[in-house]
Amino acid sequence: LSLTYAQAEVRHCQFNNGRGDGILGNDASTGGMANIYDSSFTDNAGFAVMFEDGSVNPVLANLAASGNGADIPFGGDGVYIGNNTLEGAHTWENMGLPYMIVQTNVGPDGVLTIEPGVQVLAYLANDGLDVEGRLVANGTPSQPVRFDPVDPASGWSGIAIAGSEAQPSNGSILNEIVINQGGFAGNCNLYISYGEATVTNALIDGSEDSGICLEHGASLVMSDTLLSNNGQYAIDVLDASAQFTLSNLTASGNMSDTIGVEIGTMTGAHTWQASGIDTYDLYGYLTIAPTSTLVVEPGVTVLIGEGMDITVHGALIALGTAWDPIIFSGETQTPGWWGGLSFEGTPELHALG
């Protein structure tokens, strides 16, 4: 069934032994689409379903597929979504088959909702799922939402929640999710820039780079999450002014089971929490700007790279306890490894210790 500038309602049908896709929404700009219910796809040479115009918003329910994709590497037992931008409200239903993507963009005014139990399979590419608008992936303990590569040996890029300074990406919710084996070409499993996200009850696993990266304008609230087997840091703070609130986290098997902090100037009010990942690895010079504040919670360890230091023009508040001291130390336990803490005000504006 091929649809070009056309839409169809498909119910209780079988699509078998086709030389191409079972159902094809033809061409990337024609809006070819089918709402498909209670149907099966068997031994078609292409995908079970392919929407070349990925901006369409079909309703899919109770689908089954087997033996499709003889002409496609890694098989075709899924619903292929073409490389387009989603505007408005879209829902990816738990209809029995995975969604297969090369690059899907959620536009600035778009909202993509992914139902519990859905699996998203991404092809190897420099882009995976890019969200300028909002992503709501709200799974359950028995039916998490999964983001996996089509080819486990190659991985994929990951999820990027990336708005702009003029129009940030606000309100993304990721609950009971798995993000697996992203990070292709130096990306992260989850990358946030000029955007905010709330992540709970998640598994962030196997990135080629860091599990989560926080860039300019990023805001992350994350709890009850495992970050494991990522190729760099559990969390990498690429901009010192990125905001994050962390609690009840676990890190294991990463190259560094720490929170990396890159060189930069910190502006605004920030807290480094003892979240379960209690070590912050400062691999650049950190400057706390005038009128800005960094609070370090009891039990936190701050490791500083060779020759690096922390310069405070604003305020550093580090109030440990006898049971949970705060430690500032070099990455290597060598005298003189790092430059120390430096409080530097001006005659008009004193640094606040």
Side-chain angles (χ1 to χ4, degrees):
L1 173 60
S2 180
L3 301 158
T4 305
Y5 294 111
Q7 297 185 6
E9 293 286 315
V10 177
R11 298 176 183 271
H12 302 287
C13 293
Q14 297 178 19
F15 296 84
N16 304 329
N17 301 300
R19 295 181 64 183
D21 305 301
I23 294 179
L24 171 64
N26 196 23
D27 202 295
S29 60
T30 68
M33 189 197 80
N35 297 321
I36 315 169
Y37 310 84
D38 305 301
S39 296
S40 65
F41 303 84
T42 304
D43 294 331
N44 300 287
F47 292 96
V49 180
M50 182 176 191
F51 295 119
E52 290 186 344
D53 186 344
S55 68
V56 299
N57 192 19
V59 178
L60 308 174
N62 194 26
L63 307 184
S66 64
N68 301 283
D71 293 343
I72 301 172
F74 316 115
D77 286 334
V79 176
Y80 180 94
I81 304 295
N83 179 3
N84 291 82
T85 297
L86 309 184
E87 300 292 354
H90 287 252
T91 298
W92 288 357
E93 297 91 357
N94 183 3
M95 42 70 185
L97 303 179
Y99 290 81
M100 307 175 81
I101 65 173
V102 173
Q103 176 183 350
T104 294
N105 301 308
V106 181
D109 299 316
V111 180
L112 174 59
T113 300
I114 304 179
E115 291 185 346
V118 166
Q119 183 182 34
V120 179
L121 293 175
Y123 284 90
L124 179 66
N126 287 327
D127 295 287
L129 178 57
D130 291 354
V131 181
E132 296 177 81
R134 186 156 64 100
L135 172 64
V136 179
N138 199 358
T140 68
S142 61
Q143 290 192 306
V145 177
R146 293 193 60 96
F147 299 88
D148 297 303
V150 170
D151 177 16
S154 298
W156 64 298
S157 178
I159 299 173
I161 296 175
S164 65
E165 189 171 9
Q167 189 169 356
S169 170
N170 294 324
S172 288
I173 298 172
L174 306 175
N175 176 54
E176 294 288 358
I177 65 158
V178 176
I179 307 177
N180 184 37
Q181 290 184 272
F184 176 77
N187 295 297
C188 308
N189 264 336
L190 176 61
Y191 171 91
I192 304 176
S193 174
Y194 292 115
E196 64 176 29
T198 299
V199 179
T200 51
N201 304 301
L203 171 61
I204 313 295
D205 186 76
S207 171
E208 184 177 315
D209 202 87
S210 297
I212 295 177
C213 291
L214 304 179
E215 221 356 319
H216 309 295
S219 178
L220 172 67
V221 177
M222 184 166 64
S223 64
D224 303 291
T225 291
L226 170 62
L227 301 105
S228 57
N229 305 312
N230 298 291
Q232 295 293 328
Y233 295 95
I235 302 171
D236 197 357
V237 181
L238 301 172
D239 182 343
S241 288
Q243 291 282 356
F244 49 87
T245 302
L246 311 174
S247 62
N248 198 26
L249 305 184
T250 304
S252 67
N254 305 284
M255 185 204 73
S256 178
D257 290 330
T258 66
I259 298 170
V261 182
E262 194 176 25
I263 185 172
T265 298
M266 179 180 289
T267 58
H270 297 262
T271 300
W272 286 359
Q273 295 96 5
S275 63
I277 305 177
D278 300 337
T279 299
Y280 292 74
D281 188 351
L282 180 60
Y283 58 93
Y285 296 97
L286 176 65
T287 300
I288 301 173
T291 73
S292 299
T293 303
L294 171 61
V295 176
V296 182
E297 290 188 343
V300 165
T301 295
V302 181
L303 298 179
I304 297 96
E306 184 176 12
M308 306 300 172
D309 59 31
I310 299 175
T311 300
V312 182
H313 298 300
L316 171 64
I317 300 172
L319 298 174
T321 69
W323 301 272
D324 288 311
I326 296 169
I327 299 172
F328 294 87
S329 182
E331 291 177 330
T332 298
Q333 300 299 300
T334 301
W337 179 264
W338 64 290
L341 301 176
S342 178
F343 293 83
E344 299 179 2
T346 66
E348 294 80 21
L349 185 62
H350 296 282
L352 302 176

